[in-house]
């Protein structure tokens, strides 16, 4: 199983990165590659086209409906609907209730960007895993101002396909029981860390700091921590240092195009 970072900027695209978007890929026993897209925020469709075929996705999972996690689904719909060889078959789209309505709102209810033909929407059901090829995706409710979900994804190890491995993506969240569930025993924790200790202490129930992300990884005994949703006005080295104060395992700052094999 592989994690590919498409975009990792928090809240808005930065000069170096699109907003949140991630690919999870794995091969099945017949050698077919299965591709799951987690979020597609502002500006992410561009780099996605360099990393995967947007017309061959097997499933899309959306953590929540803020634009920096969902906006480019509107233009993905255009790419898939109007390609010269004809529309793509619809792809499964899992997200919070209201996802289709949110996309229609962002598209301005323009009939040319009607989303129902390209996306087969299903709401996340906590405690109800979703199977796609060799991957199992478990949604976990987390703490953010909008209804939000992180996900645990389990699939075959890249090094030993007979062995199962798990990665977790927090989406946007503060400390909460769901974060502990996501981090518990995972091989890789992809954790947002948009806030800074001492500066954003009064803003709870929205985002993690590097320290809180590191503490979650340590408590869950995660094998690796990747920090993402890095806001352009933050110094990423400060975020990294906060996490290193809590977690002594390997830590990476997410960067566009990075690939993590698990």
């Amino acid at each position: 199983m592989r994690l590919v970072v498409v975009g990792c900027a928090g809240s808005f695209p930065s000069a170096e990165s699109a907003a949140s978007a991630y690919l999870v890929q794995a091969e099945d026993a017949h050698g077919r590659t299965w591709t799951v897209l987690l979020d597609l925020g502002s500006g992410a469709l561009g780099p996605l086209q360099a990393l995967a075929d947007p017309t061959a996705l097997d499933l899309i999972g959306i953590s929540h409906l803020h634009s920096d996690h969902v906006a480019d689904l509107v233009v993905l719909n255009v790419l898939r609907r109007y390609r010269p060889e004809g529309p793509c078959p619809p792809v499964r789209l899992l997200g919070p209730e209201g996802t289709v309505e949110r996309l229609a709102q962002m598209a301005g209810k323009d009939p040319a960007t009607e989303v129902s033909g390209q996306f087969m929407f299903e709401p996340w059901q906590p405690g109800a895993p979703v199977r796609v090829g060799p991957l199992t995706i478990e949604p976990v409710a987390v703490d953010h101002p909008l209804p939000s979900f992180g996900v645990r994804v389990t699939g075959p190890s890249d090094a030993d396909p007979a062995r199962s491995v798990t990665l977790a993506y927090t989406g946007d969240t503060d400390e909460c029981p769901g974060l502990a569930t996501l981090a518990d025993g995972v091989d890789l924790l992809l954790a947002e860390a948009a806030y800074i200790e001492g500066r954003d202490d009064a803003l709870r129930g929205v985002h993690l700091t590097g320290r809180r992300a590191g503490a979650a990884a340590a408590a869950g005994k995660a094998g690796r921590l990747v920090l993402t949703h890095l806001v352009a006005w933050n110094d990423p080295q400060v975020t990294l240092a906060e996490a290193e104060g809590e977690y002594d395992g390997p830590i990476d700052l997410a960067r566009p195009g990075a690939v993590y094999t698990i």
Side-chain angles (χ1 to χ4, degrees):
M1 188 164 65
R2 298 176 299 283
L3 169 69
V4 182
V5 178
V6 180
C8 53
S11 300
F12 54 89
S14 71
E16 291 79 31
S17 176
S20 293
Y22 312 93
L23 294 167
V24 180
Q25 297 180 312
E27 281 69 49
D28 64 18
H30 305 288
R32 182 208 194 280
T33 299
W34 293 77
T35 300
V36 171
L37 174 64
L38 299 177
D39 287 343
L40 191 65
S42 315
L45 180 58
L48 174 63
Q49 294 172 78
L51 297 167
D53 181 355
T55 70
L57 302 172
D58 294 297
L59 183 138
I60 301 170
I62 297 300
S63 64
H64 67 289
L65 300 181
H66 280 146
S67 295
D68 59 323
H69 292 257
V70 75
D72 268 27
L73 283 179
V74 174
V75 286
L76 175 63
N77 172 66
V78 173
L79 182 154
R80 292 173 57 90
R81 179 180 290 272
Y82 295 109
R83 63 178 186 161
E85 55 268 53
C88 297
V91 61
R92 293 175 73 189
L93 170 65
L94 287 102
E97 293 281 4
T99 294
V100 172
E101 293 79 5
R102 175 66 168 143
L103 296 181
Q105 178 191 51
M106 289 191 295
K109 299 188 183 297
D110 181 345
T113 53
E114 170 63 42
V115 298
S116 60
Q118 280 302 311
F119 304 126
M120 296 184 297
F121 175 68
E122 303 170 36
W124 289 123
Q125 300 289 345
V130 175
R131 182 82 178 180
V132 54
L135 300 172
T136 300
I137 303 166
E138 179 185 357
V140 179
V142 294
D143 186 15
H144 197 57
L146 291 180
S148 299
F149 295 86
V151 294
R152 289 173 62 99
V153 185
T154 300
S157 165
D158 212 58
D160 178 9
R163 182 171 65 89
S164 289
V165 291
T166 301
L167 69 85
Y169 168 47
T170 65
D172 284 4
T173 186
D174 200 347
E175 290 175 317
C176 64
L179 177 62
T181 298
L182 290 166
D184 185 26
V186 295
D187 296 277
L188 185 151
L189 177 63
L190 177 65
E192 72 108 313
Y195 281 169
I196 299 294
E197 291 288 324
R199 186 192 70 191
D200 303 314
D201 295 353
L203 303 171
R204 298 309 303 259
V206 184
H207 290 299
L208 297 171
T209 62
R211 183 192 66 78
R212 297 199 290 262
K221 297 181 170 53
R224 175 179 291 272
L225 174 61
V226 180
L227 299 169
T228 192
H229 204 267
L230 305 174
V231 183
W233 53 60
N234 291 351
D235 180 346
Q237 295 304 314
V238 170
T239 301
L240 179 63
E242 287 184 5
E244 289 174 337
E246 298 288 336
Y247 174 70
D248 60 7
I251 306 176
D252 298 279
L253 295 168
R255 57 179 178 78
V259 179
Y260 298 92
T261 56
I262 308 167

